[in-house]
Amino acid sequence: MKHFIKLTSLVFILIYGISQAIAADVYLYVTRHGKTMFNTTHRAQGWSDTPLTKPGIEVAQQLGRGLRDVNFIAVYSSDSGRARQTARIVLESKGDTMSINEMEGLRETCFGLFEGDLDPNMWDPAAQYLGYPSSKELMADLGKGNATLDKMMDAIAAVEKSGEAEDYQTVKTRMQNSLKTIAESAKAQGGGNVLVVSHGMAIMAMVQEMLDKPITSPLGNASVTKIRYTDDGKFIVESFGDMSYVEKGKNLAK
């Protein structure tokens, strides 16, 4: 009888240990905010902020419906209004009443004096700094995988006159530090799914070196980049710029 009890206890410990190891994995659903007024008018929008447009609200609603089967243990957004608004709409459309944790470290890249200016007024000088005639040629090279995000971000910082614009390393570091903080908090709760609402360029800077191929296009509004945080502290990008949750949400609305 004693041997049976010991064996049962051992089996329980083994099963509990395995379940804990499995539960320790954290899945981060990192999404870009919905479309905004500045997105629509093609203006630089980093630390500056404009509200979601009607299509931006709709795509956030579609994302929320598409994520209904995903149970989140926590929700985070940058402290920018467009990210916070997106997170709130996603939760409402999903039927969740969770609170939103705001983090300054999840902000978009700061563009300094270019904030609110027309996109060509920022991207053309950056392109010329890199040896391109204009931003058109730079973006074409990005699409071919020849121009890299880090060089492009550093070029913006180099031509911005006030010194306030952030370079690639600055954005990557604060974003990765924020993600690590979020992941460790979720891990301490036993693991699970976490929604993180941030911004296009900042997300790309965060994951560029985690990917096995170059980034060749901007992230879509409400796209999801799914990242697994393992028990041994590694980030693994399982999908990048995934619009399938939005498509699922569209179909559910029909």
Side-chain angles (χ1 to χ4, degrees), residues 4 9 12 14 17-18 25 29 37 41-42 46 67 80 84 88 91 99 111 162 198-199 207-208 210 227 231 239:
F4 174 75
S9 299
F12 173 78
L14 286 171
I18 291 170
D25 269 4
Y29 289 70
M37 287 174 60
T41 56
H42 305 291
L67 288 170
S80 297
R84 184 171 58 245
R88 186 172 65 248
L91 290 175
S99 60
F111 298 127
S162 74
S198 186
H199 308 264
V207 303
Q208 176 176 260
M210 300 178 191
I227 304 171
D231 193 40
S239 63

Side-chain angles (χ1 to χ4, degrees), residues 15-228:
I15 292 173
Y16 179 77
I18 291 170
S19 66
Q20 286 297 98
I22 294 172
D25 269 4
V26 173
Y27 290 89
L28 302 148
Y29 289 70
V30 184
T31 185
R32 185 188 174 200
H33 60 81
K35 194 171 188 178
T36 67
M37 287 174 60
F38 273 5
N39 292 154
T40 303
T41 56
H42 305 291
R43 291 182 177 272
Q45 183 176 226
W47 285 13
S48 59
D49 195 36
T50 57
L52 301 187
T53 58
K54 184 179 178 182
I57 292 170
E58 288 173 351
V59 78
Q61 291 171 335
Q62 290 159 357
L63 176 61
R65 289 193 293 269
L67 288 170
R68 277 184 184 169
D69 295 336
V70 181
N71 295 317
F72 292 113
I73 63 168
V75 178
Y76 292 81
S77 82
S78 83
D79 60 350
S80 297
R82 60 192 185 274
R84 184 171 58 245
Q85 185 183 6
T86 299
R88 186 172 65 248
I89 293 169
V90 168
L91 290 175
E92 288 172 354
S93 301
K94 190 176 180 302
D96 279 348
T97 57
M98 301 179 69
S99 60
I100 300 167
N101 303 288
E102 294 182 27
M103 292 185 73
E104 184 178 318
L106 294 173
R107 284 182 184 179
E108 179 59 289
T109 306
C110 178
F111 298 127
L113 295 177
F114 293 123
E115 292 284 349
D117 204 347
L118 291 169
D119 284 341
N121 292 338
M122 177 176 75
W123 282 111
D124 282 346
Q128 290 159 10
Y129 179 85
L130 293 173
Y132 295 90
S134 72
S135 56
K136 181 180 179 181
E137 291 81 8
L138 172 59
M139 295 305 172
D141 238 10
L142 174 68
K144 297 173 185 174
N146 296 329
T148 59
L149 178 71
D150 54 332
K151 297 279 178 55
M152 294 166 69
M153 291 176 66
D154 287 347
I156 292 172
V159 299
E160 194 274 331
K161 302 300 184 183
S162 74
E164 294 295 321
E166 292 180 298
D167 61 15
Y168 168 78
Q169 188 65 39
T170 300
V171 179
K172 183 191 82 168
T173 299
R174 68 168 168 79
M175 284 291 291
Q176 289 186 351
N177 287 344
S178 298
L179 199 69
K180 182 84 169 180
T181 298
I182 293 168
E184 282 292 325
S185 176
K187 181 181 174 183
Q189 297 176 56
N193 303 311
V194 180
L195 177 66
V196 181
V197 183
S198 186
H199 308 264
M201 186 176 284
I203 295 170
M204 292 191 292
M206 181 179 71
V207 303
Q208 176 176 260
E209 293 167 28
M210 300 178 191
L211 300 170
D212 56 5
K213 58 183 179 180
I215 294 171
T216 57
S217 63
L219 286 171
N221 293 108
S223 63
V224 173
T225 295
K226 187 177 178 182
I227 304 171
R228 179 163 59 93

